[in-house]
Amino acid sequence: MKRVFSGVQPTGNIHLGNYLGALKQFVELQEDYECIYCIVDEHAITVPKDPKELRSSILDVAALYLAIGVDPEKSIVFVQSQVPAHAELAWILTCNSYTGELFRMTQFKAKSQNKESAPAGLLMYPVLMAADILLYDTDVVPVGDDQKQHIELTRDLAIRVNNTREKTFVVPEGRFMKAGARVMALDDPTQKMSKSAPNAHSRISLLDEPSKIKKSIMKATTDSEGVIRFDPVNKPGVSNLLSIYSALSGESVPALEARYEGQGYGALKKDLVEVTVAAMEPIKARFNEIRQSDELISILRDGAERAGAIAEVTMKRVRDVFGLGL
């Protein structure tokens, strides 16, 4: 089986955009691939974090992985910092990277904009991401469109090393989000749904109470036309609601357009509330069941052991070709 690797930062509550854009795919992929899913806590500290909050968020994300249907019998689930090889390989790849290509990274430029100086971790973030991926001889990386540049850098680094140090790394392919999986903010459908947006009603988090879900959807921005039609350019708000409805229910967008023909936005929003609450309820129930259990820690320790064994095979090969160690 081909191998999949993906990681999620333990930064705040995971929202509907994360779920539909990436996590839902994780569950589907584990049926056809050998999957390795990581909580990338070392990436999270590129900006200051409260230690207690970070540790709590790590466990929250791990529990949500399991709550959405990731099966630890089929997939490896672990915490990045529990496998030291991530940091070791990141340094080796740093020595094979160029400052010019790192300064050109779009996300670094955006996050360091208007700052006299930025943390070096922000600049090196894509190199650590490349190490995460290459460490496991990854074939496929499911990511959002905003990560394309980072996947290209990962491929460039793998090919650069392979050209000078034998065939050291598997060159991975990106598996980008399917059309319609990009979820936009409810209050501003021209922007991606984000956990850092100041308006809490711009997003729906997987652990939100039904009352919060209802309020966020009913307040969602639409337009003054009053026609339920999928048109992302001219009707981004309505199109976003239709995309979410379709992704959660499995019903096609054209079928939804036909069903709500001649009806107002209120009917669409009311039904979307019911669909969303129904989709989130089992996730929240499973999360609450496992979050405080010994099972969660056991799964993460087992996952780190399994991931570490794979990583060590890669690192032995890498150390040999670079002449490191004795």
Side-chain angles (χ1 to χ4, degrees), residues 122-312:
L122 286 176
L123 182 65
M124 305 312 301
Y125 185 107
V127 180
L128 178 57
M129 180 175 170
D132 298 337
I133 295 165
L134 298 179
L135 189 58
Y136 296 100
D137 290 339
T138 303
D139 298 294
V140 179
V141 188
V143 289
D145 290 339
D146 59 339
Q147 296 294 319
K148 278 185 178 180
Q149 195 180 32
H150 290 169
I151 297 300
E152 289 168 4
L153 177 68
T154 301
R155 289 173 53 82
D156 288 345
L157 289 173
I159 292 168
R160 185 177 301 159
V161 171
N162 287 350
N163 285 342
T164 59
R165 306 278 178 169
E166 307 172 9
K167 190 178 184 304
T168 306
F169 295 120
V170 171
V171 180
E173 298 285 344
R175 183 184 191 267
F176 301 101
M177 290 191 305
K178 296 172 281 190
R182 187 179 174 89
V183 179
M184 313 307 287
L186 296 176
D187 62 337
D188 181 1
T190 65
Q191 302 294 320
K192 271 181 63 179
M193 187 174 283
S194 170
K195 65 185 73 174
S196 60
N199 181 5
H201 292 293
S202 70
R203 60 189 170 271
I204 294 171
S205 296
L206 298 191
L207 302 179
D208 276 347
E209 294 294 332
S211 59
K212 161 61 170 59
I213 293 172
K214 180 179 180 180
K215 190 171 184 179
S216 297
I217 291 176
M218 298 308 292
K219 287 169 65 73
T221 298
T222 50
D223 53 58
S224 59
E225 186 183 26
V227 177
I228 296 174
R229 184 178 75 253
F230 188 79
D231 182 351
V233 174
N234 298 306
K235 298 173 70 66
V238 175
S239 299
N240 189 41
L241 296 179
L242 286 169
S243 292
I244 294 171
Y245 199 136
S246 175
L248 291 176
S249 68
E251 194 170 352
S252 72
V253 168
L256 291 171
E257 288 178 308
R259 189 203 303 174
Y260 289 99
E261 185 177 0
Q263 298 188 55
Y265 298 149
L268 173 66
K269 288 181 174 182
K270 181 182 176 183
D271 290 349
L272 179 55
V273 169
E274 294 182 5
V275 167
T276 306
V277 169
M280 298 300 102
E281 275 182 347
I283 294 174
K284 187 175 180 180
R286 176 59 176 151
F287 173 87
N288 290 333
E289 177 186 336
I290 196 173
R291 174 61 177 84
Q292 304 298 332
S293 71
D294 293 338
E295 180 189 6
L296 180 59
I297 301 300
S298 176
I299 287 169
L300 292 175
R301 286 176 177 164
D302 178 67
E305 187 175 329
R306 292 160 65 194
I310 297 170
E312 187 52 37

Side-chain angles (χ1 to χ4, degrees), residues 52-155:
K52 289 183 179 179
E53 288 183 9
L54 178 58
R55 290 193 181 101
S56 180
S57 294
I58 289 168
L59 294 176
D60 285 347
V61 172
L64 276 170
Y65 265 131
L66 303 177
I68 64 169
V70 171
D71 184 349
E73 296 295 323
K74 297 178 180 177
S75 302
I76 295 174
V77 182
F78 74 106
V79 180
Q80 181 187 32
S81 61
Q82 302 307 295
V83 179
H86 286 261
E88 182 182 359
L89 183 55
W91 173 249
I92 294 170
L93 293 178
T94 295
C95 296
N96 287 271
S97 305
Y98 299 109
T99 54
E101 63 189 349
L102 298 180
F103 279 116
R104 286 194 296 272
M105 291 289 112
T106 303
Q107 289 201 11
F108 172 74
K109 289 193 287 188
K111 291 180 179 180
S112 61
Q113 192 174 20
N114 301 322
K115 293 180 181 177
E116 184 177 333
S117 182
L122 286 176
L123 182 65
M124 305 312 301
Y125 185 107
V127 180
L128 178 57
M129 180 175 170
D132 298 337
I133 295 165
L134 298 179
L135 189 58
Y136 296 100
D137 290 339
T138 303
D139 298 294
V140 179
V141 188
V143 289
D145 290 339
D146 59 339
Q147 296 294 319
K148 278 185 178 180
Q149 195 180 32
H150 290 169
I151 297 300
E152 289 168 4
L153 177 68
T154 301
R155 289 173 53 82

